[in-house]
């Protein structure tokens, strides 16, 4: 059974913008699914509908029992509380869901170590670089032990070196922990590198134009990015995207 | 500390020294009579000589100022919380807060002094009227300025209204509130002094403004200047003190509190 099942999902904002028109998509347990599409095509809206942050105007979002409260969200910006330490930021979701303090602290420290921020627990967000802030944001989502992790272009504002490193970290964490990921991006390369499956979207209103399984070796590294198989996947997706944009215009 | 910053700190002091020296020179060379313009040295001497009357007056004025600031802070924050909790309350009440703010205090003070029989309470109300608005408007703005991303995050993790208020809205409002408080501090002093002037000799007959009036009637110009000096000094001290509080509270997290050169 799917973890989340979107059927006939549509969203029209009060302003009259029809952001999504009829999305059908199953999110399978354990997969790394990317939503790929140009900006403004409704990717963020899909993610926010999955999380339940906005209500759908048509269709439905069916979540597996027990999934509410077990979803993590990483926004495009780090979205940290500037007035408190990295550790307190990471502990926030657990504090809100009343995890005992000692346990929350232990889990926060562990999550920070996993994203490579051991020793920065006491730092304040403004003392960190953009990439480090993003890691804190990821650690905050991880520490709450989500079954489903939703990421909205989390690395779009970072330089390429940092982005590649965080891509590797994210993939490693996903393989270790075995949760399900929905990752929003507008980068073909990033989505191919990370995903097990990619849904290509087009806009006005947002629809899913194609869904592709990515059959690459699960062990991915710098060599993957230059391998012929990777190049072939990228070309296939670029063609999907071009075709989708073509009949979208 | 670089030479540039040293000069930056010294610049206002140098201007002050030149100004005071020029003033003294003008008074001496021009042989200006004391009842027209006393020199700074004479004013300083008067300050020392009249300290016995001026100091208790300063205390009276400061008591009203701080009481008004306290009430303005509590009332302003409470009203801001009410405003932030409901757009309707804000719409219904905000115009009246604005009316209180834009009507010149000197125009309301005589009325308040008639209706409120206890002069001290009347003075307090006058000072409060001018001081509470910046706290109210800044805090309301601050409570509404919480990061929308964080608000969504709080919702996603099932935060209730109280957790959202204490863990998100109040901390977000803190820099705004402290900015409002700094303005309110100076305004509370001005409010207290203006109200004392309006109350005049019918007032408590003890604050600094009363001393200025009294000295004016007696053509004791040096004492007028000495009292004026104390009022300005008190204003500067309040502003600096609240600035320090702001820096201590915002500490490591807010841009306004960070020393960029450090
Ligand atoms: N809160 C909102 N109110 C009105 N229109 C919105 C809102 N959020 C998004 N939209 C519109 O919906 C469309 C899809 O937006 P979004 O999901 O953010 O796209 P993407 O994440 O793919 O860039 C855009 O045209 C955008 O302007
Ligand atoms: Mg988006």
């Amino acid at each position: 059974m799917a973890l989340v099942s979107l059927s006939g999902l549509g969203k029209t904002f009060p302003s009259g913008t029809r952001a999504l028109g009829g999305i059908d998509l199953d999110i399978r347990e354990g997969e790394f699914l990317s939503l790929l599409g140009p900006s403004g095509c409704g990717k963020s809206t899909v993610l926010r509908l999955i999380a339940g942050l906005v209500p759908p105007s048509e269709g439905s979002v069916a979540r597996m029992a027990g999934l509410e409260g077990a979803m993590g969200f990483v926004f495009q910006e780090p979205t940290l509380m500037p007035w408190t330490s990295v550790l307190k930021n990471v502990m926030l979701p657990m504090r809100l869901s009343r995890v005992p303090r000692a346990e929350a602290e232990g889990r926060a420290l562990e999550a920070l170590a996993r994203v490579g921020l051991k020793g920065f627990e006491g730092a304040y967000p403004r003392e960190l670089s953009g990439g480090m802030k993003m890691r804190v944001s990821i650690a905050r989502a991880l520490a709450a032990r989500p079954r489903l992790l939703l990421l909205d272009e989390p690395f779009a504002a970072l330089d390429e070196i940092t982005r590649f490193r965080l891509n590797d970290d994210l993939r490693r964490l996903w393989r270790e922990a075995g949760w399900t990921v929905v990752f929003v991006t507008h980068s073909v390369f990033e989505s191919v590198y990370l995903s097990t499956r990619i849904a290509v979207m087009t806009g006005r209103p947002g629809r899913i134009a194609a869904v592709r399984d990515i059959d690459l070796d699960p062990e991915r590294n710098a060599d993957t990015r230059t391998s012929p198989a990777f190049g072939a996947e990228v070309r296939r997706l670029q063609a999907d995207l071009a075709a989708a944009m073509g009949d979208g215009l | 500390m670089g030479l540039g910053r040293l000069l930056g700190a010294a610049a206002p002091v140098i201007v002050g020294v030149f100004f005071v020296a020029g003033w003294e020179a003008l008074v001496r060379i021009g042989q200006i009579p004391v009842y027209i313009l006393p020199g700074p040295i004479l004013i300083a001497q008067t300050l020392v000589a009249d300290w016995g009357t001026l100091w208790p007056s300063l205390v009276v004025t400061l008591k009203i100022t701080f009481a008004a600031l306290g009430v303005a802070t509590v009332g302003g924050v409470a009203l801001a919380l009410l405003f932030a909790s409901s757009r309707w309350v804000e719409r219904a009440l905000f115009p009246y807060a604005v009316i209180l703010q834009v009507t010149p205090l000197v125009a309301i003070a005589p009325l308040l002094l008639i209706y409120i029989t206890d002069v001290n309470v009347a003075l307090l109300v006058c000072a409060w009227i001018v001081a509470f608005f910046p706290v109210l408007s800044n805090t309301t703005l601050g409570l509404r300025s919480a990061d929308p991303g964080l608000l969504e995050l709080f919702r996603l993790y099932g935060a209730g209204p109280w957790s959202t208020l204490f863990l998100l809205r109040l901390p977000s409002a803190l820099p705004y509130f402290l900015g409002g408080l700094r303005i309110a501090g100076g305004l509370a002093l001005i409010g207290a002094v203006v109200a004392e002037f309006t109350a005049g000799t019918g007032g408590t007959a003890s604050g600094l403004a009363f001393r200025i009036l009294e000295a004016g009637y007696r053509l004791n110009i040096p004492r007028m200047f000495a009292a004026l000096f104390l009022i300005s000094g008190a204003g500067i001290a309040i502003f600096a003190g609240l600035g320090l509080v702001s820096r201590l509270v915002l500490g490591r997290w807010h841009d306004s509190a960070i020393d960029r050169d450090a």
Side-chain angles (χ1 to χ4, degrees):
Chain A
M1 194 199 145
L3 198 58
V4 179
S5 187
L6 313 178
S7 49
L9 191 63
K11 178 73 191 175
T12 305
F13 285 104
S15 61
T17 310
R18 184 140 189 262
L20 298 177
I23 301 256
D24 293 295
L25 185 67
D26 280 355
I27 296 158
R28 303 172 194 152
E29 184 122 41
E31 75 174 332
F32 197 122
L33 172 69
S34 284
L35 298 178
L36 172 68
S39 84
C41 75
K43 305 180 296 293
S44 298
T45 306
V46 173
L47 222 53
R48 289 152 54 78
L49 282 161
I50 294 173
L53 289 171
V54 287
S57 358
E58 303 146 43
S60 66
V61 180
R63 298 182 195 88
M64 192 184 258
L67 192 60
E68 328 266 335
M71 288 180 283
F73 206 122
V74 177
F75 299 95
Q76 183 159 353
E77 279 85 42
T79 325
L80 304 175
M81 300 181 292
W83 53 83
T84 189
S85 65
V86 163
L87 182 65
K88 290 270 170 57
N89 264 288
V90 175
M91 285 168 67
L92 175 74
M94 293 179 281
R95 180 161 184 192
L96 293 177
S97 46
R98 301 202 163 70
V99 174
R101 203 193 154 75
E103 189 194 337
E105 189 166 326
R107 275 160 63 176
L109 289 171
E110 187 201 319
L112 281 168
R114 283 217 279 171
V115 297
L117 281 179
K118 214 185 178 101
F120 289 93
E121 298 82 10
Y124 277 60
R126 61 162 296 121
E127 296 160 0
L128 306 178
S129 69
M132 288 158 89
K133 281 186 219 166
M134 215 58 230
R135 284 170 199 267
V136 176
S137 183
I138 292 170
R140 177 177 61 191
L142 295 185
R145 307 243 167 103
R147 278 177 73 194
L148 175 61
L149 184 59
L150 308 165
L151 301 106
D152 191 354
E153 306 197 37
F155 311 137
L158 304 178
D159 62 275
E160 196 172 73
I161 299 167
T162 311
R163 191 163 69 235
F164 282 1
R165 205 168 53 224
L166 288 176
N167 279 169
D168 287 332
D169 292 342
L170 179 63
R171 225 189 116 77
R172 175 177 53 80
L173 291 169
W174 165 73
R175 292 186 69 196
E176 283 169 12
W179 9 264
T180 309
V181 174
V182 180
F183 185 89
V184 162
T185 178
H186 56 244
S187 159
V188 174
F189 295 92
E190 189 172 54
S191 64
V192 172
Y193 186 73
L194 288 171
S195 314
T196 55
R197 200 158 67 106
I198 297 175
V200 177
M201 288 185 63
T202 59
R204 305 189 183 279
R207 285 172 299 108
I208 291 182
V211 179
R212 289 251 179 240
D213 287 308
I214 302 299
D215 296 315
L216 292 175
D217 186 347
E219 195 62 54
R220 296 180 196 176
N221 50 41
D223 293 336
T224 311
R225 294 184 199 275
T226 50
S227 71
F230 183 80
E233 293 283 8
V234 166
R235 270 194 300 282
R236 271 207 303 166
L237 270 149
Q238 275 166 344
D240 286 341
L241 210 50
M245 303 270 283
D247 58 50
L249 291 174
Chain B
M1 187 142 96
L3 189 63
R5 278 184 62 194
L6 204 64
L7 275 176
V13 177
I14 293 168
V15 171
V17 167
F18 268 98
F19 178 74
V20 170
W23 180 356
E24 186 68 41
L26 180 77
V27 168
R28 281 179 190 244
I29 293 164
Q31 296 190 329
I32 297 174
V34 164
Y35 54 84
I36 292 182
L37 182 65
I41 292 178
L42 179 60
I43 294 171
Q45 284 164 350
T46 312
L47 194 61
V48 174
D50 293 355
W51 190 248
T53 31
L54 290 176
W55 168 251
S57 298
L58 176 66
V59 171
V60 168
T61 302
L62 285 182
K63 268 186 187 160
I64 293 172
T65 302
F66 282 112
L69 188 60
V71 180
T73 303
V74 174
V77 170
L79 209 54
L81 283 171
L82 201 64
F83 281 13
S85 69
S86 151
R87 286 267 177 201
W88 283 108
V89 177
E90 180 176 5
R91 263 184 225 147
L93 294 183
F94 197 70
Y96 298 98
V98 173
I99 289 172
L100 273 184
Q101 165 69 11
V102 296
T103 311
L105 179 64
V106 276
I108 324 175
L111 286 174
L112 288 173
L113 284 157
I114 291 172
Y115 290 123
I116 304 175
T117 41
D118 186 332
V119 180
N120 274 320
V121 174
L123 295 183
L124 184 64
V125 170
C126 288
W128 171 80
I129 284 177
V130 285
F132 100 106
F133 191 77
V135 176
L136 169 67
S137 63
N138 270 33
T139 311
T140 307
L141 181 67
L143 288 169
R144 290 203 191 287
S145 309
D147 180 342
L150 280 171
L151 278 169
E152 292 206 321
L153 196 78
F154 272 67
R155 255 174 63 212
L156 185 72
Y157 291 111
W162 289 108
S163 319
T164 311
L165 178 66
F166 282 107
L167 297 180
L168 177 56
R169 288 196 190 275
L170 286 178
S172 308
L174 198 57
Y176 295 82
F177 161 74
L178 288 167
L181 192 64
R182 269 173 98 164
I183 302 169
L187 286 181
L189 180 65
I190 293 175
V193 170
V194 167
E196 275 181 29
F197 265 118
T198 313
T201 44
T204 51
S206 50
L208 271 182
F210 172 75
R211 291 291 165 224
I212 291 181
L213 280 176
E214 180 194 51
Y217 292 140
R218 295 180 190 165
L219 282 184
N220 187 348
I221 311 299
R223 191 192 269 193
M224 289 176 82
F225 271 98
L228 182 63
F229 175 82
L230 280 183
I231 293 175
S232 301
I236 293 168
I238 290 172
F239 188 77
L242 292 175
L244 186 68
V245 168
S246 179
R247 267 199 303 285
L248 288 178
V249 172
L250 298 183
R252 283 165 82 185
W253 68 274
H254 201 258
D255 287 333
S256 68
I258 306 286
D259 190 346
R260 285 192 190 286
D261 299 341

